[in-house]
Amino acid sequence: MEIAKGVKASDWHKLDLTGNIKTEWDKSIEIFNKRIEERYIEPIDILIKQEENILPNNRKFGFAILALDCMLLETLQSFYEGLTDTKNKSKTIFIKFLTERSKFKPYFSEKIGEITIAEKFYSEFRSGILHQTEIGKGGKIWS
């Protein structure tokens, strides 16, 4: 099985990342970047570029872009934490990313009533998109 174009899962598992071997770490970073680029960044960029000359209210790929963004966010946080399985952890991982990363924290840490914006975004957008294939509670994605 390939985890990125031309990279077998066995290639990843063969890496020795227990020490300070620069070539092993360089290879792991190269594989990681390739995987992230191919699975998330390139498709998102293609979708955005496809609609760049369309008025924002006429664009239609926002839903797919946000779905990929949500998957990317969980993937990155899982890597940060060294997790190989996120079963029953996705909410914690997702919210942690949004409330602990400096670029997201100012926008997602504020509370709305009893919950943070990150928790609301997780339940209405992330879970809505990835589980029900719709946005919950009247939220909207337009571009």
Side-chain angles (χ1 to χ4, degrees):
M1 178 173 89
E2 288 190 335
I3 61 172
K5 187 82 171 152
V7 181
K8 293 186 172 121
S10 59
D11 298 333
W12 177 261
H13 292 293
K14 283 187 227 174
L15 292 170
D16 179 7
L17 303 176
T18 59
N20 236 358
I21 304 168
K22 184 176 178 352
T23 55
E24 293 288 290
W25 281 99
D26 288 348
K27 184 69 176 168
S28 72
I29 291 167
E30 180 185 319
I31 292 170
F32 175 81
N33 284 337
K34 187 173 179 120
R35 181 180 174 120
I36 296 300
E37 280 290 326
E38 290 175 2
R39 288 189 178 190
Y40 306 105
I41 306 302
E42 288 176 18
I44 290 168
D45 286 348
I46 289 167
L47 290 170
I48 290 170
K49 185 162 180 53
Q50 185 71 28
E51 293 188 323
E52 70 185 354
N53 295 320
I54 298 173
L55 292 172
N57 61 341
N58 291 328
R59 295 177 186 164
K60 52 189 173 188
F61 296 153
F63 188 89
I65 292 167
L66 191 55
L68 287 164
D69 288 339
C70 289
M71 290 186 289
L72 173 59
L73 184 154
E74 279 187 48
T75 298
L76 291 174
Q77 188 64 32
S78 297
F79 269 94
Y80 290 144
E81 296 188 20
L83 300 174
T84 57
D85 181 0
T86 60
K87 187 171 183 167
N88 299 319
K89 299 173 192 163
S90 64
K91 181 177 183 178
T92 302
I93 289 166
F94 197 89
I95 291 169
K96 192 172 185 179
F97 185 97
L98 292 175
T99 58
E100 292 184 1
R101 302 281 166 252
S102 61
K103 298 284 186 184
F104 294 89
K105 186 176 183 173
Y107 305 100
F108 288 95
S109 295
E110 186 180 319
K111 286 203 168 203
I112 300 173
E114 299 294 316
I115 64 170
T116 63
I117 293 172
E119 291 170 296
K120 185 174 176 67
F121 187 82
Y122 173 84
S123 65
E124 294 179 21
F125 286 83
R126 182 266 180 210
S127 292
I129 289 171
L130 299 180
H131 295 297
Q132 287 81 38
T133 65
E134 64 183 13
I135 304 302
K137 309 243 175 150
K140 291 184 172 59
I141 301 172
W142 58 275
S143 177

